[in-house]
Amino acid sequence: MRHRSTRHRSVRRRTALTAAAIALAATGTTAAVAAPAATTPPRFLAPGELPPHASSPWYASKVTPGLPDPEPFCLDGGVVPGGDGTYHRTYWTDYDTGALQVSVVTANEDSAQRLAAALRRKVARCAGDWLHDKPGGTASWKDYGTVTAADGGRVYGIHTSIPESEPGVHLFGVGRSGRTVTVVEWGEMGNLDQAPVPAFKATLRQALNKL
């Protein structure tokens, strides 16, 4: 009887271990697909790392979970996920110049690559999309090329103007480090030839190195 009882206990033990292994495998599969909850946000730009303003220091909000409301210019329409793993920080000066950084911690590097590509396409189409909604205005854009840092970044310029209104100029930097994607936006009244492109490229490089 002792031998039979031991054998039954061994069978039950093997059955329990098999069930646990199946449950663990299922959990692992789910974890590989779902985006992990970010326990801490990635590091963000400090105000002094933005392109210098001639007449004002830069100020900054706290790093905040989610997206700003309303969604940023050129990055609306749900292209940036607003759930767990997304953070933003806004920057401003005493004048009309402002900036924004949004960073998204994705599930894996493949997801980050896809998101970065989608953001680059969105920014490249921004001038045309804006004109579609503002048929009386003018808009243009320029690709300022790559930034070598982390897994790489790219800088774009967008100019928009409406009759009897001041023109606006925006610089966008999109880049990635591992599974984290960041977008930096800078804007003020003016034209593309007034935009601080070299200084903004240095800002994007710093942002990528901090992720």
Side-chain angles (χ1 to χ4, degrees):
M1 291 295 294
R2 285 195 301 270
H3 176 74
R4 182 179 301 172
S5 176
T6 301
R7 184 177 62 188
H8 287 174
R9 284 197 301 271
S10 178
V11 170
R12 287 196 299 269
R13 199 159 44 238
R14 287 198 302 271
T15 302
L17 288 172
T18 301
I22 292 171
L24 182 60
T27 302
T29 301
T30 302
V33 174
T39 55
T40 57
R43 292 191 300 161
F44 275 66
L45 289 165
E49 293 168 328
L50 289 159
H53 191 281
S55 305
S56 172
W58 281 96
Y59 310 96
S61 69
K62 295 180 179 180
V63 175
T64 306
L67 290 173
D69 185 17
E71 291 179 293
F73 175 63
C74 285
L75 298 174
D76 54 353
V79 66
V80 183
D84 291 340
T86 297
Y87 303 88
H88 74 274
R89 190 179 199 187
T90 56
Y91 307 83
W92 63 94
T93 66
D94 292 326
Y95 297 91
D96 68 302
T97 307
L100 170 73
Q101 184 179 4
V102 179
S103 293
V104 183
V105 183
T106 67
N108 50 55
E109 290 198 24
D110 287 343
S111 298
Q113 288 177 341
R114 290 194 296 270
L115 177 58
L119 292 173
R120 290 193 298 268
R121 289 192 299 269
K122 177 71 171 175
V123 172
R125 294 197 305 260
C126 181
D129 291 342
W130 184 87
L131 277 177
H132 184 269
D133 295 330
K134 305 286 191 303
T138 60
S140 59
W141 73 286
K142 189 170 183 178
D143 183 343
Y144 288 111
T146 59
V147 168
T148 303
D151 293 307
R154 198 167 196 95
V155 171
Y156 304 87
I158 309 292
H159 169 261
T160 58
S161 180
I162 299 175
E164 300 181 1
S165 179
E166 292 289 341
V169 59
H170 295 263
L171 294 176
F172 289 87
V174 181
R176 180 179 69 88
S177 179
R179 62 189 183 96
T180 302
V181 177
T182 198
V183 182
V184 182
E185 181 265 341
W186 169 98
E188 68 177 17
M189 291 187 295
N191 301 298
L192 286 175
D193 58 2
Q194 300 170 322
V197 176
F200 185 79
K201 282 192 168 186
T203 293
L204 179 60
R205 185 176 298 109
Q206 184 71 5
L208 292 171
N209 285 334
K210 296 180 81 167
L211 294 178

